[in-house]
Each structure stands twice: as C-alpha cells, then as structure tokens.
C-alpha cells in the first residue's frame, strides 16, 4: 500500500477527523497508487493517521475512509459502514417510502450518495475511492436493502474534478419505470430518476414542506423555483386556496402538474408559469399583485467563493421582491442550499431585503435539512440547507 506523508503541521484536521486532505497538505507519496486505491496516511513525523482513497486529479487528493491506521478497507468495511448508515436513518412516517440512505462524508462514506424511492435506489458516486469500490457497494446495497433495482446518476461537476467520466444508467436489478411513485407526508409524488434533478427529488426539503404547508390554509401561495411541485402539493393538501408555481424548466412544471392531479386536487387551484423568478417577481410587483405566502427555494447559486458576493446579491434581490409581494401578516418561507453561504450571511441578507422592502419581518421558524441528510460535527461542509419562515408586516 502506498504511503502519503503530510507536511509538518498539516495533520490537525485529520486528527480532528475531517476526511479531506488537500494536495497542498501533502509532503510526499511513497509508491504509485492508482486512482481510488487505498493509501496509508501519516504525519510528518511518521505517526500513522488513517487510511483513505487516492484521488490524484482532485484538489482533495485523499478522502479518508478511516482514522484507524490499521483499518482494512475491504468488503467487510463497506458492509459495516453501509449497515451503520442504514441503521442511522430516522424513522419514516407511515406511508413514506423515500429517503436518503447514505449521505457521503457524514455517513463515513466520502463521495457516496444513495437515495431510496419506493423499491428503487439511486446512487451518485462523486469520488475516485467510491468509484473504485462501486461493484462492492452496489452488491452490498442490494443485499442489505432488498431493493428491486439500483440506478446511477453520477453526473455532477465534481466527477470532472475527480477525473471521472459522468455515468448514468442501471447498475443492478430491474430497470426502473419512467416515473416512480413515492409517498411523503401523506402525499404522493412521481419522481423521474432518469431526467430529474440530482437523483430525482429534493428529499432534503421533506420536513420543510410540511412545516411551510401549515401556514397555507386558505392562502394564496406563490411557489418560486417550484420544480416538481413539492411545496405546491403540501400547500394544497393543507388547504391553500391557490398555488402559483414558477420554474424555468417546462419539464419540471409538467411533472408538478401531474403531481397535483395525482393527489386529486382541483386543477383550478394551481397555476404554472414557465419563467425566470427574478423577472417574474419584478413583474408581479409592478402589476400590484399580492400573496399570503411566498416560497423561495432557489438552486445553489454559488459554486465557489469567488461567486459569493454576486450570489448574495441574487438572494437579496429575490427576497426583497418577495417581501414586497406579501400581504400584511404574510409568510415568507425562504431557503438557501449554498453551503458557501453560511446561516449568518443568509440571515443578514434576508434582514437587508426586509429593510429595503420597508417590511418588518419576524422569524417564526429556523429550518434545516431533513434528518436523513445528517451533517457531522467535524465536517461542517455537510451542512448546506438553511431556511427561515418569516411573518412580514
Ligand atoms: N422547491 C423544489 C426544489 C427546487 S430546485 C422542491 O421542493 O422540490 C430549484 C428549481 O429552480 C429547479 O426546478 C430549477 O429548474 C429552477 N430554477 C433555477 N433557476 C431558475 C430561475 N432563474 N427562475 C425560475 N426557476 C429556476
């Protein structure tokens, strides 16, 4: 096994169990590890620190599998980690059958995401190490979950950074149907695991959909960045009078329409606008429109620190216009899933938006990612989703 020796003073994060070792922290490599191969990691003075996967193309050149220097990285290791991840999931409400089963680093499996949609699993493999062990992982997932089939959606840009080709398709078991029906919070949704975003559905918003929906009784709701109608279905199911959905993807809106019909809601209670939220919010303000509830669930605007300022302006902009669109006493449910924008900056941005809109906003609830998307205390990068429910006067 090749050995990676860290530079002097660069072992602190590993000792604190952070799983990433950046190229700049490495003094030398003995041996010639292949991408994804297991390497031994040691401090500058030779103290063994753990074992990880070698990823020469990435800035994150080693992702630690274990901080136990004697750990064997083999099938038994993955059986143990996967079993632990499955056992760590919070209990599902009766009728629910969609859940994140493996959440990468916080579950001790760097670069591996596994989501369950009814009887099928969808995997995303984002590291050379997880790619190296793919067949083992897939075999174990079948055995441990008894799923009907496993599908891969490893398409994100991180694959490029790891020097991995983008991969998509059936990995094991049966070919999944074009749309998989799932249950969440008493509602039904169709998930397109082939063409949908990420693995097909935003499971991280499960709890928040239910929390926000409670404020929607008799309300007129503007659901911005609607995707396949997650918040729309929950709002209608909680008695919303009307939900207007805006998204720039016609395919997403078509699925939102299907999801609303699937739950038996009157189609007249939903509207769909294929457009840019930034432009539509401005137009609605000009037209003098008002809503009781506005939901803002934008995609990740920030890919790197360089974009932080421009992205903050984007968040400020949509929140400012959303506040202007609210009736007195109306509810703004606003989110950011950009890990680089921390909670403090997000809250400051929303505070300035309220100020500039001339509204007084009271935070009723602080929201987080769902519990099946755990973060680890030693891995702050795992916390990315944050939200606020504000009442605005
Ligand atoms: N709220 C959704 C998830 C939203 S994901 C849920 O609970 O399932 C973000 C969505 O924003 C995607 O559907 C994407 O198509 C859409 N989007 C991205 N940029 C947009 C823009 N400028 N205007 C409108 N929609 C946009």
């Amino acid at each position: 096994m090749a050995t990676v020796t860290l530079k002097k003073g660069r072992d602190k994060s590993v000792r604190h169990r952070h799983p990433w070792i950046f190229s700049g922290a490495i003094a030398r490599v003995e041996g010639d590890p292949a991408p994804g191969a297991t390497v031994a990691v040691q401090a500058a003075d030779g103290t063994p620190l753990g074992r990880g996967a070698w990823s020469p193309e990435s800035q994150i050149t080693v992702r630690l599998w274990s901080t136990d220097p004697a750990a064997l990285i083999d099938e038994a290791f993955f059986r143990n980690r996967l079993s632990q991840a499955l056992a760590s999931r919070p209990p599902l409400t009766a009728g629910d059958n969609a859940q994140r089963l493996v959440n990468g680093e916080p579950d001790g499996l760097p670069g591996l995401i596994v989501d369950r949609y009814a009887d099928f699993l969808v995997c995303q493999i984002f590291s050379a190490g997880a790619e190296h062990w793919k067949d083992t992982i897939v075999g174990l997932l079948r055995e441990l979950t008894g799923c009907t089939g496993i599908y891969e959606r490893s398409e994100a840009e991180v694959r490029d950074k790891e020097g991995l080709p983008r991969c998509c398709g059936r990995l094991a078991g049966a070919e999944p149907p074009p749309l998989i029906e799932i249950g969440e919070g008493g509602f039904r949704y169709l998930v397109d695991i082939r063409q949908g975003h990420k693995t097909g559905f935003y499971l991280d918003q499960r709890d928040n959909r239910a929390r926000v929906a409670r404020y929607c009784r008799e309300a007129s709701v503007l659901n911005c960045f609607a995707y396949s109608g997650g918040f729309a279905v929950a709002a209608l199911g909680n008695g919303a009078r009307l939900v207007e959905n805006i998204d720039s993807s016609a395919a997403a809106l078509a699925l939102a329409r299907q999801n609303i019909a699937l739950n038996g809601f009157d189609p007249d209670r939903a509207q769909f606008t294929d457009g840019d939220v930034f432009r539509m919010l401005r137009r609605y303000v000009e037209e003098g429109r008002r809503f009781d509830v506005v939901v803002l669930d934008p995609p990740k605007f920030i890919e790197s620190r360089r974009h932080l300022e421009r992205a903050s302006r984007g968040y400020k902009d949509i929140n400012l216009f959303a506040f202007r669109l609210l009736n007195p006493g109306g509810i703004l449910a606003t989110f950011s899933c950009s890990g680089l924008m921390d909670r403090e900056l997000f809250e400051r941005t929303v505070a300035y938006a309220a100020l500039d809109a001339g509204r007084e906003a009271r935070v009723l609830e602080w929201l987080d990612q769902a519990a099946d998307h755990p973060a680890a205390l030693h891995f702050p990068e795992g916390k990315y989703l944050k939200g606020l429910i504000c009442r605005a006067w």
Side-chain angles (χ1 to χ4, degrees):
M1 190 187 311
T3 301
V4 173
T5 305
L6 302 185
K7 289 181 184 161
K8 204 159 174 260
R10 299 298 293 268
D11 52 333
K12 194 169 153 202
S13 73
V14 176
R15 290 184 195 277
H16 291 178
R17 296 209 185 160
H18 195 288
W20 292 351
I21 297 174
F22 288 89
S23 57
I26 296 175
R28 59 176 192 279
V29 184
E30 280 143 73
D32 184 21
T38 303
V39 294
V41 177
Q42 62 179 28
D45 64 2
T47 311
L49 296 173
R51 290 190 173 165
W54 181 244
S55 184
E57 301 271 327
S58 173
Q59 291 277 341
I60 306 170
T61 313
V62 177
R63 286 173 198 247
L64 282 183
W65 289 125
S66 176
T67 47
D68 172 2
L72 282 181
I73 311 304
D74 55 8
E75 180 175 331
F77 170 84
F78 287 99
R79 180 182 294 278
N80 191 23
R81 284 283 159 95
L82 287 169
S83 305
Q84 212 177 59
L86 296 175
S88 300
R89 276 29 241 173
L92 275 182
T93 314
D96 285 10
N97 61 2
Q99 194 176 33
R100 174 147 298 187
L101 298 181
V102 179
N103 195 39
E105 276 77 348
D107 278 313
L109 290 162
L112 178 67
I113 301 292
V114 184
D115 287 340
R116 171 190 168 206
Y117 297 111
D119 300 328
F120 286 88
L121 305 187
V122 184
C123 292
Q124 293 182 306
I125 292 171
F126 291 144
S127 66
E131 179 74 21
H132 181 82
W133 290 99
K134 184 151 115 180
D135 292 347
T136 307
I137 290 168
V138 168
L140 286 166
L141 282 171
R142 273 216 91 186
E143 182 196 323
L144 295 171
T145 67
C147 65
T148 305
I150 305 183
Y151 196 82
E152 179 174 16
R153 283 292 303 275
S154 303
E155 290 157 298
E157 273 167 43
V158 252
R159 294 272 299 184
D160 309 345
K161 290 186 192 162
E162 290 276 322
L164 300 169
R166 299 186 181 203
C167 279
C168 190
R170 188 181 66 90
L171 285 175
E175 187 68 39
L179 294 173
I180 297 177
E181 187 180 315
I182 60 159
E184 181 197 271
F187 305 111
R188 291 148 70 201
Y189 294 93
L190 295 168
V191 179
D192 181 349
I193 65 170
R194 288 188 183 76
Q195 308 293 332
H197 297 174
K198 298 194 181 185
T199 64
F201 199 65
Y202 288 87
L203 292 169
D204 53 358
Q205 288 283 29
R206 176 198 306 103
D207 302 345
N208 299 332
R209 282 189 273 269
R211 300 275 282 273
V212 172
R214 297 190 297 135
Y215 296 90
C216 293
R217 187 155 302 283
E218 300 294 323
S220 58
V221 179
L222 181 62
N223 182 24
C224 300
F225 308 98
Y227 188 48
S228 58
F231 281 95
V233 166
L236 289 166
N238 278 269
R241 196 159 38 79
L242 185 77
V243 179
E244 171 157 353
N245 299 285
I246 307 177
D247 202 285
S248 55
S249 158
L253 288 177
L255 197 50
R257 196 187 286 274
Q258 260 182 287
N259 281 331
I260 288 166
L262 179 70
N263 287 277
F265 301 131
D266 177 354
D268 291 345
R269 288 166 66 203
Q271 287 170 3
F272 304 89
T273 303
D274 178 353
D276 174 30
V277 166
F278 289 83
R279 293 227 317 273
M280 296 312 297
L281 291 178
R282 278 189 170 71
R283 183 183 303 173
Y284 289 175
V285 167
E286 278 162 23
E287 290 171 358
R289 294 188 58 181
R290 290 289 179 270
F291 297 88
D292 300 319
V293 177
V294 176
V295 180
L296 291 178
D297 184 21
K300 189 160 101 179
F301 291 147
I302 313 174
E303 291 301 338
S304 78
R305 248 169 231 293
R306 281 182 296 128
H307 301 141
L308 194 56
E309 200 186 310
R310 199 179 65 210
S312 306
R313 281 201 296 274
Y315 283 106
K316 163 90 182 290
D317 196 70
I318 51 176
N319 280 279
L320 168 64
F321 281 90
F323 274 123
R324 287 194 178 151
L325 285 172
L326 284 176
N327 283 320
I331 291 286
L332 173 65
T334 179
F335 297 92
S336 161
C337 60
S338 300
L340 288 170
M341 175 178 244
D342 60 22
R343 191 174 272 280
E344 197 191 326
L345 175 59
F346 175 62
E347 290 180 8
R348 208 169 345 122
T349 305
V350 177
Y352 280 116
L355 197 67
D356 286 6
R359 305 298 294 264
E360 193 183 317
R362 288 170 198 156
V363 178
L364 306 184
E365 301 194 38
W366 274 263
L367 306 178
D368 244 312
Q369 60 216 48
D372 54 1
H373 290 59
L377 291 171
H378 55 264
F379 182 68
E381 290 84 349
K383 275 190 82 60
Y384 64 98
L385 181 63
K386 57 243 153 245
L388 297 170
I389 298 181
C390 304
R391 195 180 290 286
W393 295 98

